Amino acid sequence: MSWMNMLYETYENVMRADADDIKPPLLPIAHTTQNADVEVTINIDGEFIGSTVVDGDKQTLIPCSEASASRSGTNPVHHPLMDKLQYLAGDYTEFGGEKSPSFHIKYMEDLRDWCDSGYSNEQIRAIYKYLRKGCLIADLVKDGTLICDDKNRLLKKWTGSKADTPRIFKTIVGEQSNAFVRFRVSGVNDGVTAVWQNKQVQRDYINYYLSKQENKAFCYVTGNVIPCSDNHPSKLRNTGDKAKLISANDNAGFTFRGRFTDSKQAVQVGYDVSQKAHNALKW
């Protein structure tokens, strides 16, 4: 694991410098990047102000869990804050959404847990207040950001003239119902309205997520007994990159079978160590 130790130390050394001067910036732990399709602006009281299609800088820094960072079509785990409509929108099925309402229910339960913790902040609580109303898609349709058909369902594809193509169909990959949403919250004390750029939100989520860690074991990199990771980051080269450097979730193949009875006997790496090492490599 010498390569991971080297990357972990690189991350620590860079962060000891003035992180604001590091270009490109190092990703914080417990975060990943996604391309946003829609940007929603609300105020501090959780009231809708407006929305727009994101057709410029789509890359968005978002909080993530171990599970959500490595989610797939067979493992649809929500991100903790910003995500696709199927997770965020309480009115998703009313507009023709085909995914289970349980996705939204679980997302709201976990967001409420963060809001009720000692690591919440005004922007997180504003987003929860707004989404609890269950009117996200209705607001986006009324605002002209998303487009419905004559049955009040989100249009799957644009079949009209090319000259009249709505902005959302010029930028989104796939259907509108899969749109990824990011938030701005106006009226905040620090003046940073873009939630994905707010460092206080980042710090609060990191502290919240680390407070939930219970799986402590011997870390092969640091030699300490600390919370360890079972799912290691992907997206090392780009947002669509699913290749991994450490993987042990194959219980049927030969990843560790024949040498160990379970993956934990092969190697254990601390969550903090894994996150920092992989983020240093991305950087």
Side-chain angles (χ1 to χ4, degrees), residues 200-218:
Q200 185 59 51
V201 172
Q202 296 167 20
R203 288 191 292 267
D204 284 341
Y205 177 71
I206 291 169
N207 290 330
Y208 167 71
Y209 189 67
L210 291 179
S211 74
K212 310 287 280 187
Q213 300 294 300
E214 297 178 348
N215 177 31
K216 291 187 177 182
F218 179 81

Side-chain angles (χ1 to χ4, degrees), residues 79-94:
H79 293 305
L81 186 58
M82 291 175 276
D83 212 325
K84 295 182 177 182
L85 289 173
Q86 67 198 61
Y87 302 102
L88 273 57
D91 53 355
Y92 172 78
T93 56
E94 296 175 28

Side-chain angles (χ1 to χ4, degrees), residues 147-149 153-159 169 175-177:
I147 310 300
C148 281
D149 60 19
R153 293 171 175 259
L154 290 179
L155 198 63
K156 291 182 180 294
K157 62 180 181 179
W158 180 251
T159 57
F169 288 104
E175 298 180 5
Q176 290 183 97
S177 59

Side-chain angles (χ1 to χ4, degrees), residues 74-259:
T74 58
N75 181 36
V77 182
H78 65 80
H79 293 305
L81 186 58
M82 291 175 276
D83 212 325
K84 295 182 177 182
L85 289 173
Q86 67 198 61
Y87 302 102
L88 273 57
D91 53 355
Y92 172 78
T93 56
E94 296 175 28
F95 287 85
E98 299 173 353
K99 304 292 177 63
S100 171
S102 63
F103 292 173
H104 173 69
I105 293 171
K106 177 60 176 169
Y107 165 85
M108 291 299 291
E109 289 174 351
D110 289 346
L111 182 57
R112 179 177 180 178
D113 187 70
W114 183 6
C115 288
D116 290 343
S117 74
Y119 306 101
S120 182
N121 60 67
E122 55 185 357
Q123 285 194 330
I124 305 306
R125 291 189 291 271
I127 292 171
Y128 178 75
K129 286 178 186 177
Y130 171 63
L131 294 179
R132 190 172 55 183
K133 300 174 184 177
C135 58
L136 174 58
I137 295 181
D139 285 340
L140 293 175
V141 170
K142 185 178 180 181
D143 211 34
T145 300
L146 299 183
I147 310 300
C148 281
D149 60 19
D150 55 5
K151 295 181 180 179
N152 204 38
R153 293 171 175 259
L154 290 179
L155 198 63
K156 291 182 180 294
K157 62 180 181 179
W158 180 251
T159 57
S161 68
K162 186 175 181 179
D164 296 328
T165 303
R167 287 178 64 192
I168 188 66
F169 288 104
K170 295 178 180 178
T171 63
I172 196 169
V173 176
E175 298 180 5
Q176 290 183 97
S177 59
N178 289 325
F180 194 100
V181 179
R182 69 187 187 191
F183 288 95
R184 287 184 181 271
V185 179
S186 66
V188 292
N189 291 327
D190 59 15
V192 183
T193 62
V195 178
W196 66 96
Q197 295 175 347
N198 193 313
K199 295 188 182 300
Q200 185 59 51
V201 172
Q202 296 167 20
R203 288 191 292 267
D204 284 341
Y205 177 71
I206 291 169
N207 290 330
Y208 167 71
Y209 189 67
L210 291 179
S211 74
K212 310 287 280 187
Q213 300 294 300
E214 297 178 348
N215 177 31
K216 291 187 177 182
F218 179 81
C219 171
Y220 280 48
V221 176
T222 65
N224 299 320
V225 176
I226 56 177
C228 286
S229 180
D230 290 325
N231 291 314
H232 299 276
S234 56
K235 301 182 181 179
L236 296 174
R237 293 167 291 196
N238 55 65
T239 56
D241 185 12
K242 293 298 183 180
K244 288 192 173 187
L245 295 177
I246 303 176
S247 179
N249 62 352
D250 180 10
N251 293 312
F254 292 93
T255 303
F256 57 82
R257 195 171 58 159
R259 291 173 290 172

